[in-house]
């Protein structure tokens, strides 16, 4: 019941609204049995009570009443009776006993009962009002009467054929010619009410659609379960369903399963009973969905016995609506509403709501499939990356190990007394080894950069010595070609700078090597110029200039691209992988710098790169002897590499003991205290990682668990360093071993390398 109670009159103010005047009165005048004229009015109490037939309704307590015919004649003059009887609205007039004195014929259209049924008392109007609404209407009218006001109230009644009709009632008490009664004007507002309800429902539907859409837009896949469950609850509540659900089709398995379900309070869930339901039980249902059609059953009990009815009735379903969830031309499942409490006629809006929800499920399914495909692809890529990394690590180890021996021994041999022919042979070995090492380094560095696994060292180094080393490495080649090779470091620099000298040397080696390669005559110059201090340190500009063939202007832009060659003839004439400059650029950027080129075809080129380098801890003197009495242990299974390492240490003034594998190292350390251990990683019997774990844990019986252990390995991938540190090693050197790097690392753990 919708209460619109407010002060009201039955008829607008005017002559028709006032009490009858003497001129309006009929010629018949009623008197009480005692013969005295009496005036009757309303009593002090108006109640909602139970009629003689036990049905709640409206009754009024009056002081007296008259026979219906006399009362009607007094209060409804004949000239007005015909007019009022033909009103489209319904007019009731009742006396104090609740008897209907007058009702218009239009009551039949509103209620389905003729006027005589009300006049004879066969039907009571108040009984057409539902129980809760009937009580509310009675209380509203009684309250108005106590205040001496009219009333206006809206409520539903049971109309013709059981249909619900909405009524707007306006009423007032009327007292005329000694007789008190109620006038109740009833207006059929069903159409207006339905329009209003439709607008409200449309608003609720739009809000629900917005809620659903916002729930599923960019919802994380791990929150989809909750979003679907919440959507089913919202939709089921909105349409008044008893169940809302989602099913998945498995046409290969020949069944469907209930994957999500929402149930109204006191409705028994069915999800556990609806798993792997054979499609053969509902062939018509499945056929409709495969055609893209909805399954809509208004009355399950009206279905033929057996078949679908036999499947639905045990679930208590009276009506249902199930729409297929279509992915392309094939259903992947269906969504639906079950109505258990009673039959339900589904509206177009309810169908649209389910259809929209089904579309959202399709999008979720696509996202899930895409995410699954992405994850599988990522896993495959990760597996391929791991395989590639393992291959590169193994290749690095297997190639660098013999190269370390070749270059190390060549260097040691060159330092001995040799004839001119012998020196030429040794130099050829060294140059060939360095060329092979450069090629291997390019390939490995490029692969590591692609995988994001290339790490930088941060050690102290002398820039001037670095420049001298680079120039010395190319002096023979330049002299052989008849090309001038010079270099200079300008300005005042700190005694040492901190950075990765191996990577800077790699960049300079590439640039100077290219300059010599592409310069048939003239000169190549290497310059280092300080640019100024910055937050990251001192900015140095390195430049390599030549008077060579130069680069065409239209080719200069691609110089730093991988596998780039100015033209194929250059590739055949000069060789190279086309990776050097690409690697140089990435290394410079990895160190926080910039690189560029200026060139004129036929005149030469200048490559420049700038790096920020913080100051080091002091002057570097690699040849300074270490304090006597320091005990060093070299753990290396490769005989050649062991000899190289021992000779390099000897050059630093250090003598060392040797062990061939991790187990021998532990046995050696059990009987002697060492100040430093240089440990290979990949060895037979026991590798270096296991050996250092046992040293740190104390399981090996060694006397010094905190001895510094430096990994010396041909494993040069980015993750290898982390693995070594995680095992308990303190530092890391990759092969081939540079004398300068060895001196730097050893100096960190044995005092005496760095001078103040």
């Amino acid at each position: 019941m919708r209460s619109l109670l407010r002060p009201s009159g039955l008829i607008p103010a005017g002559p028709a609204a006032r009490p009858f005047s003497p001129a309006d009165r009929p010629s018949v005048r009623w008197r009480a049995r005692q013969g005295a004229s009496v005036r009757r009015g309303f009593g002090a109490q108006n109640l909602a009570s139970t009629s003689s037939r036990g049905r709640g309704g409206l009754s009024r307590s009056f002081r007296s009443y008259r026979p219906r015919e006399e009362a009607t004649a007094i209060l409804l003059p004949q000239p007005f009776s015909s007019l009022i009887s033909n009103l489209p609205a319904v007019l009731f007039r009742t006396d104090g006993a609740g008897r209907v004195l007058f009702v218009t014929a239009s009551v039949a259209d509103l209620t389905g009962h003729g006027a005589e049924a009300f006049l004879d008392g066969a039907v009571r109007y108040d009984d057409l009002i539902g129980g809760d609404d009937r009580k509310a209407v009675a209380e509203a009218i009684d309250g108005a009467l106590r205040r001496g006001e009219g009333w206006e109230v809206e409520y539903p009644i049971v109309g013709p054929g059981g249909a619900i009709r909405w009524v707007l009632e306006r009423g007032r008490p009327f007292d005329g010619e000694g007789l008190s009664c109620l006038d109740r004007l009833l207006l059929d507002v069903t159409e207006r009410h339905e329009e209003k309800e439709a607008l409200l429902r449309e608003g609720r539907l739009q809000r629900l659609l917005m809620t659903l859409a916002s729930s599923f837009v960019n919802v994380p896949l791990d929150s989809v379960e909750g979003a679907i469950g919440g959507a089913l609850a919202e939709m089921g509540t909105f349409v008044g369903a008893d169940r809302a659900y989602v099913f998945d089709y498995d046409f290969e398995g020949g069944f469907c399963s209930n994957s999500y379900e929402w149930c109204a309070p006191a409705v028994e869930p069915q999800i556990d009973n609806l798993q792997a339901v054979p499609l053969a039980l509902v062939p018509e249902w499945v056929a409709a969905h495969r055609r893209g059609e909805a399954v809509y059953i208004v009355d399950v009990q009206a279905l033929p016995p057996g078949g679908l009815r036999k499947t639905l009735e045990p679930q208590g379903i009276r009506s249902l609506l199930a729409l297929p969830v279509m992915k392309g031309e094939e259903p992947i499942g269906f969504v639906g509403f079950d109505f258990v409490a009673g039959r339900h006629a589904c509206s177009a809006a309810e169908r649209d709501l389910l259809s929209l929800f089904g579309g959202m499920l399709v999008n979720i399914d696509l996202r899930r499939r895409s995410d699954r495909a992405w994850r599988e692809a990522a896993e495959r890529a990760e597996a391929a990356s791991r395989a590639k990394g393992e291959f590169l690590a193994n290749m690095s180890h297997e190639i660098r190990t013999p190269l370390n021996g070749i270059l190390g021994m060549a260097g040691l041999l060159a330092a001995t007394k040799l004839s001119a022919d012998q020196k030429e042979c040794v130099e050829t070995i060294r140059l060939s080894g360095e060329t092979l090492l450069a090629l291997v380094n390019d390939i490995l560095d490029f692969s590591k950069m692609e995988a994001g696994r290339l790490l930088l060292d941060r050690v102290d180094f002398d820039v001037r010595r670095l420049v001298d080393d680079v120039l010395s490495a190319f002096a023979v080649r330049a002299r052989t070609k008849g090309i001038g090779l010079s270099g200079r470091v300008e300005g005042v620099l700190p005694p040492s700078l901190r950075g990765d000298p191996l990577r800077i040397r790699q960049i300079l080696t590439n640039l100077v090597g290219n300059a010599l390669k592409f310069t048939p005559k003239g000169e190549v110059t290497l310059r280092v110029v300080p640019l100024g201090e910055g937050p990251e340190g001192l900015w140095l500009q390195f430049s390599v200039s030549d008077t060579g063939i130069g680069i065409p202007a239209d080719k200069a832009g691609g110089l730093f691209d991988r596998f780039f060659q100015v033209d194929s003839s250059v590739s055949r004439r000069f060789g190279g992988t086309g990776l050097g400059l690409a690697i140089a650029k990435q290394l410079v950027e990895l160190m926080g710098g910039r690189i560029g080129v200026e060139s004129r075809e036929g005149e030469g080129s200048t490559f420049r790169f700038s790096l920020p380098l913080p100051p080091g801890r002091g002057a570097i003197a690699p040849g300074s002897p270490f304090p006597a009495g320091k005990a060093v242990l070299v753990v290396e299974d490769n005989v050649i590499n062991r000899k190289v390492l021992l000779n390099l240490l000897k050059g630093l003034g250090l003598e060392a003991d040797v062990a061939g594998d991790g187990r021998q190292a532990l046995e050696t350390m059990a009987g002697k205290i060492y100040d430093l251990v240089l440990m290979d990683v990949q060895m037979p019997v026991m590798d270096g990682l296991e050996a250092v774990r046992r040293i740190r844990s104390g399981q090996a019986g060694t006397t010094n668990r905190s001895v510094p252990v430096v990994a010396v390995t041909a494993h040069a991938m980015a993750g290898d360093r982390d693995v070594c540190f995680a095992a308990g090693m303190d530092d890391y050197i990759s092969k081939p071993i540079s004398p300068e790097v060895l001196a730097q690392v050893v100096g960190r753990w044995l005092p005496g390398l760095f001078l103040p």
Side-chain angles (χ1 to χ4, degrees):
M1 190 270 296
R2 182 167 308 203
S3 178
L4 303 173
L5 188 63
R6 58 178 178 267
S8 173
L10 177 63
I11 304 173
R18 60 179 171 77
F20 293 117
S21 67
D24 296 326
R25 292 171 182 163
S27 57
V28 179
R29 181 178 178 81
W30 181 84
R31 292 179 181 273
R33 286 190 177 92
Q34 292 80 2
S37 295
V38 296
R39 182 177 183 81
R40 297 288 182 259
F42 290 105
Q45 192 175 23
N46 299 292
L47 302 172
S49 63
T50 303
S51 70
S52 60
R53 287 171 296 193
R55 293 170 294 184
L58 289 171
S59 68
R60 303 290 178 265
S61 175
F62 295 95
R63 296 192 183 100
S64 66
Y65 65 89
R66 297 179 180 179
R68 187 178 66 198
E69 295 81 0
E70 293 183 18
T72 302
I74 292 172
L75 297 179
L76 191 63
Q78 186 64 35
F80 297 99
S81 177
S82 175
L83 174 63
I84 294 174
S85 296
N86 292 312
L87 286 174
V90 177
L91 175 63
F92 268 99
R93 175 163 287 173
T94 59
D95 66 7
R99 296 178 306 166
V100 177
L101 302 178
F102 177 81
V103 63
T104 56
S106 55
V107 73
D109 297 328
L110 178 65
T111 67
H113 303 284
E116 288 301 321
F118 294 98
L119 293 170
D120 294 341
V123 178
R124 295 181 72 252
Y125 173 73
D126 294 332
D127 291 341
L128 303 180
I129 306 173
D132 292 339
D133 290 318
R134 185 187 313 157
K135 181 179 179 181
V137 170
E139 291 174 351
I141 295 177
D142 285 342
L145 292 175
R146 283 194 297 271
R147 295 188 297 272
E149 300 172 347
W151 64 87
E152 181 174 308
V153 64
E154 185 175 323
Y155 52 84
I157 65 170
V158 180
I164 299 299
R165 309 302 295 269
W166 279 83
V167 172
L168 175 64
E169 176 179 328
R170 293 172 179 161
R172 68 172 184 174
F174 190 86
D175 189 10
E177 197 63 32
L179 181 65
S180 297
C181 59
L182 298 179
D183 283 339
R184 303 171 69 181
L185 181 67
L186 310 178
L187 303 173
D188 186 348
V189 293
T190 302
E191 184 175 348
R192 186 190 72 183
H193 179 84
E194 290 176 348
E195 290 175 353
K196 186 176 181 179
E197 285 297 316
L199 289 175
L200 292 174
R201 186 177 178 82
E202 179 66 22
R204 292 197 299 271
L205 176 61
Q206 294 301 323
R207 288 192 295 273
L208 175 57
L209 293 177
M210 291 296 294
T211 299
L212 293 180
S214 61
S215 298
F216 283 89
V217 171
N218 296 326
V219 61
L221 289 178
D222 56 3
S223 302
V224 164
E225 308 287 330
I228 293 177
L232 290 176
E234 293 276 357
M235 295 190 302
T237 302
F238 176 78
V239 304
D242 296 296
R243 292 192 194 98
Y245 46 80
V246 178
F247 274 72
D248 298 322
Y249 275 130
D250 184 347
F251 289 110
E252 291 185 3
F255 59 83
C256 63
S257 295
N258 191 178
S259 50
Y260 300 94
E261 180 187 51
W262 167 85
C263 294
V267 175
E268 184 179 356
Q270 295 292 323
I271 188 168
D272 292 337
N273 303 325
L274 297 173
Q275 300 301 311
V277 179
L279 299 182
L281 294 178
V282 285
E284 301 91 346
W285 180 298
V286 176
H289 282 176
R290 300 196 89 156
R291 294 192 300 270
E293 300 172 359
V295 174
Y296 176 38
I297 303 173
V298 179
D299 188 356
V300 170
Q301 295 177 345
L303 295 173
L308 190 56
R309 178 174 175 178
K310 184 178 179 181
T311 302
L312 300 177
E313 276 189 332
Q315 303 174 48
I317 301 173
R318 302 288 299 277
S319 301
L320 68 81
L321 173 64
L323 268 65
V325 177
M326 304 297 293
K327 184 180 179 183
E329 300 296 324
E330 188 74 9
I332 60 174
F334 59 89
V335 293
F337 297 132
D338 285 349
F339 300 89
V340 177
R343 295 191 302 271
H344 179 85
C346 292
S347 66
E350 292 167 0
R351 289 179 180 235
D352 292 342
L353 182 60
L354 267 186
S355 179
L356 175 67
F357 179 62
M360 293 178 178
L361 292 181
V362 171
N363 290 335
I364 290 293
D365 180 71
L366 291 174
R367 285 183 58 197
R368 278 175 166 165
R369 291 173 184 268
S370 175
D371 181 73
R372 185 163 54 249
W374 179 85
R375 290 179 184 274
E376 291 173 354
E379 290 174 359
R380 290 194 298 270
E382 185 176 352
S385 178
R386 283 196 302 269
K388 179 181 178 181
E390 291 171 2
F391 168 76
L392 290 174
N394 290 331
M395 186 173 73
S396 171
H397 183 273
E398 296 303 323
I399 295 178
R400 286 174 182 269
T401 297
L403 276 177
N404 184 59
I406 294 171
L407 293 175
M409 286 300 181
L412 294 174
L413 184 60
T416 63
K417 293 181 179 181
L418 300 173
S419 66
D421 291 341
Q422 289 173 332
K423 287 184 177 180
E424 184 177 353
C425 291
V426 171
E427 183 64 19
T428 301
I429 293 172
R430 188 184 66 81
L431 290 176
S432 298
E434 289 180 349
T435 300
L436 179 58
L437 179 61
L439 179 60
V440 171
N441 285 340
D442 279 354
I443 295 173
L444 293 178
D445 286 345
F446 179 72
S447 299
K448 286 188 285 186
M449 288 177 181
E450 275 195 325
R453 295 181 176 180
L454 190 142
L455 297 180
L456 299 175
D457 282 325
R458 293 184 64 83
V459 298
D460 292 352
F461 68 99
D462 185 337
V463 174
R464 298 180 186 276
R465 184 172 299 150
L466 176 64
V467 171
D468 290 342
D469 289 345
V470 172
L471 295 176
S472 297
F474 289 98
V476 175
R477 187 187 307 179
R479 190 164 51 249
T480 302
K481 290 188 68 173
I483 297 172
L485 178 61
S486 63
R488 61 181 182 272
V489 178
E490 301 177 0
V492 178
L493 300 181
S496 66
L497 294 171
R498 193 164 184 81
D500 192 332
L502 286 181
R503 295 303 178 183
I504 298 174
R505 183 198 305 271
Q506 182 179 347
I507 299 168
L508 291 174
T509 298
N510 181 273
L511 297 180
V512 173
N514 282 345
L516 289 173
K517 182 191 300 183
F518 297 108
T519 302
K521 61 180 180 178
E523 63 178 349
V524 173
T525 303
L526 169 58
R527 295 177 60 214
V528 180
V529 179
L531 300 179
E533 293 282 349
E536 309 90 344
L538 176 65
W539 279 86
L540 290 186
Q541 182 185 80
F542 299 81
S543 64
V544 176
S545 302
D546 64 63
T547 57
I549 61 176
I551 303 164
D554 60 339
K555 301 291 186 180
L559 276 179
F560 297 101
D561 296 340
R562 54 190 178 182
F563 307 115
F564 179 83
Q565 299 283 358
V566 174
D567 62 51
S568 58
S569 64
V570 171
S571 178
R572 287 194 298 271
R573 179 181 175 189
F574 295 102
T577 62
L579 290 174
L581 289 178
I583 293 172
K585 180 176 185 293
Q586 292 189 54
L587 287 175
V588 169
E589 292 175 350
L590 194 60
M591 289 186 280
R594 301 177 295 271
I595 189 170
V597 61
E598 297 176 3
S599 182
R600 287 180 178 273
E601 189 173 9
E603 297 182 13
S605 306
T606 298
F607 286 83
R608 295 185 179 90
F609 67 93
S610 303
L611 297 176
L613 299 168
R617 292 180 294 180
I620 298 175
S624 300
F626 287 88
K630 294 295 182 181
V632 179
L633 176 63
V634 173
V635 186
E636 169 66 70
D637 65 308
N638 186 281
V639 177
I640 297 175
N641 287 333
R642 194 159 59 215
K643 289 181 179 179
V644 170
L645 193 51
L646 289 173
N647 278 281
L648 291 176
L649 289 172
K650 187 176 181 180
L652 296 174
L654 292 170
E655 297 292 334
D657 297 331
V658 296
D661 57 55
R663 180 174 296 174
Q664 290 182 17
L666 297 180
E667 293 172 353
T668 302
M669 294 175 68
K672 182 176 179 180
I673 297 176
Y674 286 94
D675 300 294
L676 180 66
V677 177
L678 302 178
M679 179 86 71
D680 188 18
V681 172
Q682 185 170 318
M683 295 180 292
V685 184
M686 181 185 292
D687 62 42
L689 299 177
E690 180 61 24
V692 77
R693 290 191 192 101
R694 296 195 181 192
I695 293 171
R696 300 306 184 211
S697 66
Q699 299 175 10
T702 55
T703 55
N704 184 8
R705 293 171 54 181
S706 60
V707 59
V709 180
V710 177
V712 182
T713 176
H715 290 288
M717 303 301 290
D720 297 332
R721 181 191 301 265
D722 296 334
V723 171
C724 293
F725 289 157
M729 295 191 182
D730 300 288
D731 218 325
Y732 178 95
I733 300 175
S734 63
K735 299 174 183 177
I737 302 170
S738 164
E740 293 86 351
V741 173
L742 178 64
Q744 287 279 345
V745 172
V746 172
R748 279 200 286 269
W749 304 104
L750 295 179
L753 178 61
F754 296 102
L755 302 178

